[in-house]
Amino acid sequence: MIRRWVVLLLAAAFLVHLGYLYFQVGRGIEERAGGVSIFYGRPTEMRAGDHLGNLRFAERLQRLSYRKVAGKPSSAGTYAEEQGHIRIFIRGKKTKKPAEVDGPVDIRVRQGRIAALISPRGKELTSIRLEPEELDRVTLTQRDSRHQVTLAVISRHLQNAVIAVEDGRFYSHSGIDLLAIGRALFVNLKEWRFVQGGSTITQQLAKNFFLSPQKTFGRKLQEMELALVLEMRYSKKQLLEMYLNRIYLGQDGHQGIYGVEDAAGFYFAKHAKNLSLAEAALLAGIIHAPNRYFSGRRPEAAIQRRNFVLAQMLKRELISPDQFRAAANAPVQIRHGRSSVHRNSYFIDYIQRITREELGTEKLYHSDYRHYTTLDPLQQAIAEEAVIQGIGAIEKMSRPAGEPLQAALVAVDPRTGELTAMVGGRSYKESRFNRAADARRQPGSAFKPFVLLAALALSMQKKGDKTLSTIVSGEPVAIPTPEGMWTPANFENKIYDKITIRQTIEDSVNTATVRLAVDIGMNEVLATARLAGITSHLLPVPSLALGSFEVTPMELAYAYATIASGGISFEPFPLFFVTMADGETVITRKIRHKWVFDPQVTYLTGYALEGVLERGTAKEAKKLGIYFPAAGKTGTTNGNRDSWFVGFTPEVVCAVWVGYDSGADTGLTGAAGALRIWTRFMSALYAHAGPPAVIPPPGIVTALIDPATGFLATELCPQKLQEAYLAGTAPQETCPEHRVHPIRDNIRDKLRSVGDFFRSLFK
């Protein structure tokens, strides 16, 4: 009887102990999982007319883990394709009326574009939205991956390789593999030294989460006990995901590399989901000694270890013989010490900076927040590629300065004011200074569009004082200043005579721009820049017209967005809202905008800036892949310290800066430097079809003119240009230098002058 009670008491004590461990393990895992800030990109909105190629629709579905099915999609996260139709069952909320799309939406496709969006109930929809993609996960815990990922976005090859080499019976044991322990014990006794371990993945996870690295018999028993509890509390997939996000995989200087996502970026410049079979096998093979195989001193050892892992995968029928041979013969290509592929870190840091004050530093890192941002993941990837590839090509032509050439890129959606891409430098790992948001540099000639905008806005008030074909002087100019006479020169000291305002902006003529600015008034220019969105320190002095005051790339991008949007000025908008893990909203941001310019004025400004790419300082853009209409302006500062290009379509504004942090001479103009990164970004963005055409607002008319004189073109004019005007301001006289009927035209011109004189008397 006493013996029975003892057994019962021991059993009860064991159950209490097990329950306590169950609770403690859960709390410990949650504490380690807590403090992770998750960042999401903006939802992909799809409308009729959008080109699926430009949207990179197939890639977006893959990144969001949508599954292709045969027949009609019956569950969220699936889609089906047939001739002229894509039927997709979207996850989460799709529109303001979720009931309308509670089922697969029919995307009707014609020539690669969306022809119509039809709801499950047969109604035509204005738009649909794919759910936001996860951008990043950030934690300050030193022994966790900075970028934790779900199992769904880790290469299946990598998952299988890790299981094959670390724990072949992972899916069949309950946390402890007695066969593996027995096998390891036999080998170690035979060799009379520690050669092989018998720990399962679950045991390794228990050790990493809860125990010290000390090797004792008591600690081993604790490890096994904790492994059993972990298996009771979590599924195999959850355990594997935690393991892959926490495993140590080498050193990056003084910083450890934890988790397969960080390791894939550090060693292969890839995301974990994109690793090849050979790369996955190599990464799995180094788990027990990463610094030995990836030190760069023993490549043959790395190959042997990789092929051992591949052999284990073949033995367990996780790969085919053909896959084994191809991977085993592949060369080892390690980009050791390169920057991580997580290049959106500049943007993530920027978001943390602007939310830190509201959330508080402690809460920011020790609470589970979900940040829903405006960043477009694919635009960001394109921007990063454009900067890295572009700057690699540009620096070959640049003037060395003993420091790395830097670049910054900002992209904005002028329809909404959303910040869609941000690159703060060539390498976040080498420098965390965000040049996109914080570097103040002179914009040079990239400021000139605001002189043009001011002239056209003032002209509209005065009913046609200035048009794009108005003649101004490009001759040398001297302006008195408190420091003495200021005599700005043109690029390469080129001398101009009488030119149109259009040519002033297309050829970036300094002398004519200064004359125009002084004519309309520097206060007017400054006020226009302020309305457009430039908030940095400016003064109404003549040099302002040539961009002598410093601005940030983000500031300039948003100021150009005011032109591209039809006169709507947006405040920078990088974040929609922040929630807790349970969905409680803690921060909400609203788009702040104001209509500051007449659409007719911004249309004319953009129309003039199209000429910069067609005939002006950025005409090389066509050779660099810009086959579609776009508007923009180059900028180069004194001594080639700063190279700029800011350009736009109706869908995106992109500002690019190139230069040295020290302000040293780059030897690059705006066209030779920044333009080349901008064209890489834009041509990749519109790889399949050009942007929608710019629709002129009411009140705009066109006339065929002689671009040299600004008058209506005749048959004899060697060049002709279709120019745009406010209604009632187009020229009425024909070109005086190329008259077809000189006597008749002279008589008509004199009669018109007399008529204008008498009309003025009766006003």
Side-chain angles (χ1 to χ4, degrees):
M1 186 71 179
I2 294 174
R3 190 175 297 174
R4 183 183 301 171
W5 276 106
V6 170
V7 171
L8 288 173
L9 285 172
L10 288 174
F14 177 74
L15 289 174
V16 169
H17 175 66
L18 201 63
Y20 175 75
L21 277 182
Y22 188 89
F23 170 76
Q24 288 293 95
V25 163
R27 189 173 72 171
I29 294 288
E30 287 173 5
E31 286 177 354
R32 293 305 301 269
V36 177
S37 288
I38 304 179
F39 296 79
Y40 295 95
R42 72 169 179 173
T44 300
E45 187 158 2
M46 305 170 61
R47 310 174 186 85
D50 287 345
H51 196 286
L52 293 177
N54 286 349
L55 283 175
R56 301 198 176 194
F57 180 63
E59 185 177 348
R60 289 184 190 273
L61 292 184
Q62 182 182 14
R63 291 166 72 110
L64 291 170
S65 301
Y66 273 74
R67 183 168 53 87
K68 189 175 182 179
V69 297
K72 184 178 179 180
S74 58
S75 60
T78 59
Y79 72 101
E81 290 183 279
E82 60 182 73
Q83 187 68 30
H85 296 269
I86 300 173
R87 292 182 173 85
I88 180 169
F89 201 134
I90 301 171
R91 303 188 188 102
K93 294 181 180 180
K94 299 89 181 172
T95 68
K96 293 181 179 179
K97 298 179 179 179
E100 290 184 357
V101 282
D102 188 16
V105 174
D106 181 10
I107 304 174
R108 297 179 181 176
V109 184
R110 299 290 182 273
Q111 297 180 333
R113 292 187 181 273
I114 298 174
L117 298 163
I118 308 300
S119 77
R121 298 182 180 182
K123 293 183 179 180
E124 188 163 350
L125 302 172
T126 304
S127 65
I128 58 172
R129 285 187 174 187
L130 300 179
E131 68 272 19
E133 178 185 333
E134 183 178 315
L135 297 173
D136 208 348
R137 296 189 178 207
V138 177
T139 176
L140 281 191
T141 307
Q142 291 184 351
R143 291 175 62 82
D144 282 337
S145 166
R146 176 178 168 84
H147 305 95
Q148 298 190 26
V149 291
T150 62
L151 203 62
V153 291
I154 297 175
S155 161
R156 175 62 68 177
H157 286 317
L158 182 55
Q159 295 179 44
N160 289 337
V162 169
I163 289 171
V165 74
E166 290 295 317
D167 189 358
R169 288 165 32 85
F170 174 69
Y171 284 110
S172 58
H173 63 64
S174 297
I176 301 171
D177 189 346
L178 295 177
L179 288 177
I181 292 173
R183 185 171 57 249
L185 182 63
F186 175 77
V187 172
N188 293 338
L189 289 173
K190 182 180 178 182
E191 296 290 331
W192 203 243
R193 61 189 177 92
F194 184 82
V195 176
Q196 191 176 106
S199 293
T200 63
I201 283 176
T202 317
Q203 285 177 265
Q204 294 180 52
L205 192 62
K207 177 182 67 177
N208 289 339
F209 263 109
F210 302 105
L211 302 173
S212 70
Q214 187 180 13
K215 293 182 178 180
T216 65
F217 182 70
R219 192 204 60 84
K220 195 68 176 178
L221 289 178
Q222 282 184 294
E223 176 188 298
M224 296 169 70
E225 186 180 46
L226 289 167
L228 291 172
V229 175
L230 281 169
E231 291 273 351
M232 291 169 59
R233 184 160 188 133
Y234 299 99
S235 69
K236 289 288 188 180
K237 287 186 177 181
Q238 287 175 308
L239 293 170
L240 183 59
E241 182 179 299
M242 285 189 278
Y243 177 81
L244 293 175
N245 276 306
R246 182 164 173 76
I247 191 69
Y248 172 72
L249 287 162
Q251 284 291 129
D252 178 9
H254 297 294
Q255 183 179 354
I257 301 169
Y258 293 91
V260 295
E261 179 73 348
D262 279 8
F266 181 73
Y267 294 120
F268 303 111
K270 289 183 176 181
H271 291 289
K273 66 180 178 182
N274 297 326
L275 292 177
S276 67
L277 173 58
E279 291 165 342
L282 181 55
L283 199 57
I286 63 135
I287 287 175
H288 76 289
N291 296 315
R292 179 195 307 172
Y293 296 110
F294 273 169
S295 66
R297 293 190 296 269
R298 300 184 60 196
E300 68 285 351
I303 293 174
Q304 289 174 7
R305 183 62 180 171
R306 179 198 66 187
N307 291 351
F308 170 76
V309 176
L310 290 169
Q312 294 299 308
M313 295 178 75
L314 179 64
K315 177 181 176 182
R316 299 179 187 282
E317 298 183 348
L318 297 172
I319 56 174
S320 67
D322 287 342
Q323 286 178 306
F324 170 80
R325 284 189 291 271
N329 291 322
V332 172
Q333 295 179 328
I334 301 171
R335 298 185 180 184
H336 189 270
R338 297 289 180 88
S339 176
S340 168
V341 294
H342 299 281
R343 301 165 188 152
N344 53 22
S345 295
Y346 283 113
F347 178 77
I348 300 301
D349 284 357
Y350 175 69
I351 293 295
Q352 288 181 325
R353 183 205 311 176
I354 64 177
T355 59
R356 184 174 289 116
E357 185 175 340
E358 292 172 78
L359 298 177
T361 303
E362 184 176 351
K363 289 183 180 179
L364 177 66
Y365 294 114
H366 298 286
S367 295
D368 293 323
Y369 288 113
R370 308 292 182 261
H371 299 72
Y372 293 87
T373 77
T374 63
L375 198 78
D376 185 304
L378 286 178
Q379 270 197 34
Q380 178 69 13
I382 293 169
E384 286 292 345
E385 191 69 19
V387 168
I388 290 174
Q389 297 296 327
I391 208 167
I394 291 167
E395 63 185 350
K396 296 175 183 177
M397 305 180 294
S398 66
R399 185 169 295 162
E403 60 180 298
L405 191 66
Q406 292 290 350
L409 183 152
V410 175
V412 176
D413 187 335
R415 300 165 298 183
T416 63
E418 295 168 12
L419 178 65
T420 55
M422 171 188 277
V423 183
R426 65 185 293 160
S427 170
Y428 178 80
K429 179 183 174 183
E430 294 171 6
S431 169
R432 296 190 177 187
F433 176 56
N434 190 336
R435 296 157 189 84
D438 302 323
R440 297 189 178 277
R441 307 296 289 248
Q442 292 180 341
S445 295
F447 185 85
K448 289 176 180 175
F450 305 108
V451 177
L452 174 61
L453 187 62
L456 293 173
L458 190 62
S459 175
M460 187 175 189
Q461 297 172 20
K462 293 183 177 181
K463 302 190 183 300
D465 181 48
K466 296 284 190 303
T467 71
L468 296 180
S469 60
T470 297
I471 298 294
V472 294
S473 174
E475 297 169 330
V477 61
I479 307 291
T481 71
E483 291 77 29
M485 296 300 290
W486 179 56
T487 55
N490 295 314
F491 182 64
E492 296 181 336
N493 294 312
K494 189 173 181 180
I495 303 296
Y496 292 84
D497 192 7
K498 304 292 185 181
I499 59 174
T500 62
I501 287 179
R502 170 178 283 281
Q503 188 180 355
T504 297
I505 200 75
E506 287 183 356
D507 292 349
S508 201
V509 182
N510 291 341
T511 51
T513 303
V514 170
R515 287 180 185 275
L516 180 61
V518 171
D519 182 35
I520 61 177
M522 297 311 305
N523 284 316
E524 194 70 32
V525 174
L526 188 149
T528 298
R530 290 276 185 246
L531 285 173
I534 294 179
T535 58
S536 289
H537 174 69
L538 303 176
L539 289 175
V541 296
S543 64
L544 172 65
L546 303 185
S548 62
F549 290 88
E550 296 176 340
V551 298
T552 66
M554 183 182 293
E555 216 174 340
L556 205 54
Y558 270 93
Y560 272 69
T562 303
I563 301 172
S565 68
I568 301 172
S569 176
F570 293 96
E571 289 186 12
F573 187 71
L575 180 71
F576 293 113
F577 53 90
V578 180
T579 72
M580 299 290 290
D582 60 6
E584 179 189 354
T585 301
V586 292
I587 294 178
T588 300
R589 291 279 193 267
K590 292 184 179 180
I591 298 175
R592 294 180 177 271
H593 58 88
K594 184 188 294 184
W595 204 333
V596 293
F597 296 110
D598 192 288
Q600 296 172 337
V601 171
T602 55
Y603 173 82
L604 292 175
T605 303
Y607 191 65
L609 293 176
E610 285 186 23
V612 175
L613 285 92
E614 292 172 2
R615 295 170 296 277
T617 55
K619 61 185 176 184
E620 193 178 357
K622 290 184 179 179
K623 297 178 183 177
L624 297 173
I626 305 302
Y627 62 91
F628 47 83
K633 185 70 187 73
T634 52
T636 312
T637 57
N638 289 340
N640 297 314
R641 290 191 293 269
D642 304 283
S643 168
W644 290 88
F645 190 80
V646 190
F648 58 88
T649 69
E651 298 173 321
V652 63
V653 176
C654 177
V656 177
W657 167 85
V658 173
Y660 290 115
D661 286 338
S662 66
D665 186 349
T666 65
L668 300 169
T669 63
L675 176 67
R676 295 172 181 270
I677 292 177
W678 183 87
T679 54
R680 284 177 182 268
F681 175 75
M682 297 296 283
S683 59
L685 209 59
Y686 293 107
H688 298 271
V694 180
I695 301 173
I700 295 293
V701 297
T702 60
L704 193 64
I705 67 165
D706 181 332
T709 65
F711 290 98
L712 294 174
T714 70
E715 296 174 9
L716 300 180
C717 289
Q719 293 182 320
K720 299 178 181 66
L721 175 71
Q722 195 76 24
E723 191 58 276
Y725 298 90
L726 294 173
T729 66
Q732 302 297 312
E733 299 177 8
T734 56
C735 174
E737 295 183 9
H738 307 97
R739 293 183 183 273
V740 178
H741 304 287
I743 296 175
R744 185 191 68 185
D745 290 344
N746 280 332
I747 294 172
R748 185 180 60 190
D749 290 346
K750 287 180 180 179
L751 289 173
R752 183 178 289 117
S753 298
V754 171
D756 290 342
F757 172 74
F758 281 107
R759 277 193 295 271
S760 66
L761 292 178
F762 293 101
K763 277 188 178 180

